[in-house]
Amino acid sequence: DTGVSQDPRHKITKRGQNVTFRCDPISEHNRLYWYRQTLGQGPEFLTYFQNEAQLEKSRLLSDRFSAERPKGSFSTLEIQRTEQGDSAMYLCASSSYKDSYEQYFGPGTRLTVT
Amino acid sequence: QQQVKQSPQSLIVQKGGIPIINCAYENTAFDYFPWYQQFPGKGPALLIAIRPDVSEKKEGRFTISFNKSAKQFSLHIMDSQPGDSATYFCAAMTRGTSYGKLTFGQGTILTVHP
C-alpha cells in the first residue's frame, strides 16, 4: 500500500453516462497525476496538478474529461458521455515537491463501459 | 509516437535465473529513468530508478544498467523468485520541464517458474 487511495476500485457504466473517480494522494504530496492504462499497455499521462493548479493536460484528455483538485488535496476525474473506448484503468499518482521524481501510484479505478 | 520502446513483451525464466528487460528511448531530453513493477489488479510500484550521470545502479536484487550513448537502459533481476512474477514497466521523464510526466514502455510480463 503506497498511501494513495482511489475510489471506486471498479465502475461499470452504460455508454453515454457520466462517471466520476476520486483520488486521495499521500497527505504531504503537492503533486498529483492522472494516467490511463489500457490492457497490455503502459500507463499514459492524462493530467498534472501542482497543489490546486492544473498545469498540464495531455491531448488524450478530450473535452469530455475534466479533472479538479480543490484545495490541493484530493482530486476528481470526471468523464462525461462515456464511450466504449473510455474503458481502461485510471491511475492516480502523487509525489512531493522535494522528491518530485518519485511517483507513488494508487490501485487504480477499473472502468468498463458497456 | 512511441518514445520508450520495451522488450521483450514476455519472459519466462526458472527460479534463480536472471531475467533482463531492455528499453530504448528517443528523446534525449529524458533524464530520469524509473522501473515499475505491477501485479494484477494493483497500481505500478516504483522499484528502482537511475539518472544518466551513472552507468549502473543496484538495489537489492534489482540492477539498472544505463548506456547514454546508445539511449538504452535495462533491468536485471538477480536470483529471480516466483514472487517476482509480474509486469515490469520502464519509464522516462524530463525533470526540468515536464512537471514529472512519465512516459512508459509497453511492459514486460515476467513469469518465474519454481
Side-chain angles (χ1 to χ4, degrees):
Chain A
D1 184 3
T2 61
V4 178
S5 61
Q6 293 187 244
D7 184 71
R9 295 291 309 278
H10 303 275
K11 179 71 177 178
I12 300 174
T13 191
K14 293 184 178 179
R15 187 168 55 120
Q17 297 294 305
N18 299 344
V19 294
T20 300
F21 310 140
R22 176 180 170 124
C23 170
D24 287 272
I26 296 170
S27 59
E28 63 269 25
H29 285 185
N30 65 332
R31 296 186 172 194
L32 187 146
Y33 307 82
W34 285 97
Y35 291 84
R36 180 171 68 187
Q37 185 177 23
T38 53
L39 201 61
Q41 298 296 317
E44 293 178 293
F45 170 80
L46 290 179
T47 190
Y48 161 70
F49 288 87
Q50 183 167 312
N51 300 311
E52 65 275 11
Q54 187 175 20
L55 297 183
E56 188 169 355
K57 293 193 293 185
S58 164
R59 60 177 179 270
L60 291 175
L61 214 62
S62 75
D63 292 343
R64 297 184 296 105
F65 288 72
S66 62
E68 293 182 342
R69 193 184 182 195
K71 304 179 182 178
S73 55
F74 71 91
S75 175
T76 59
L77 177 68
E78 181 183 16
I79 308 174
Q80 296 182 329
R81 304 180 304 281
T82 52
E83 302 173 356
Q84 287 190 322
D86 297 331
S87 296
M89 174 79 86
Y90 290 84
L91 294 162
C92 174
S94 71
S95 66
S96 71
Y97 182 79
K98 289 182 180 180
D99 196 8
S100 61
Y101 315 129
E102 295 192 0
Q103 293 183 24
Y104 297 90
F105 282 81
T109 294
R110 168 76 62 190
L111 173 66
T112 302
V113 182
T114 62
Chain B
Q1 180 185 4
Q2 185 63 54
Q3 295 196 58
V4 179
K5 295 183 179 180
Q6 184 172 344
S7 63
Q9 282 189 314
S10 62
L11 189 54
I12 299 173
V13 299
Q14 295 294 319
K15 178 182 174 181
I18 306 176
I20 301 172
I21 305 171
N22 301 298
C23 283
Y25 62 96
E26 300 168 2
N27 187 348
T28 55
F30 287 147
D31 58 3
Y32 174 74
F33 303 90
W35 284 88
Y36 283 83
Q37 179 190 57
Q38 186 175 30
F39 293 103
K42 305 286 187 179
L46 179 64
L47 268 180
I48 185 174
I50 197 168
R51 299 179 189 182
D53 52 347
V54 298
S55 60
E56 185 175 282
K57 183 175 181 180
K58 182 176 180 180
E59 286 185 3
R61 296 186 294 108
F62 300 95
T63 300
I64 301 178
S65 298
F66 187 84
N67 185 330
K68 187 175 181 178
S69 60
K71 294 187 287 185
Q72 294 176 347
F73 57 110
S74 59
L75 176 71
H76 301 232
I77 305 175
M78 306 302 179
D79 187 27
S80 59
Q81 301 296 313
D84 296 329
S85 298
T87 300
Y88 292 81
F89 293 95
C90 62
M93 175 201 294
T94 305
R95 289 174 291 169
T97 60
S98 67
Y99 303 113
K101 174 177 65 179
L102 286 168
T103 299
F104 283 85
Q106 303 95 314
T108 296
I109 300 172
L110 173 65
T111 302
V112 182
H113 286 312

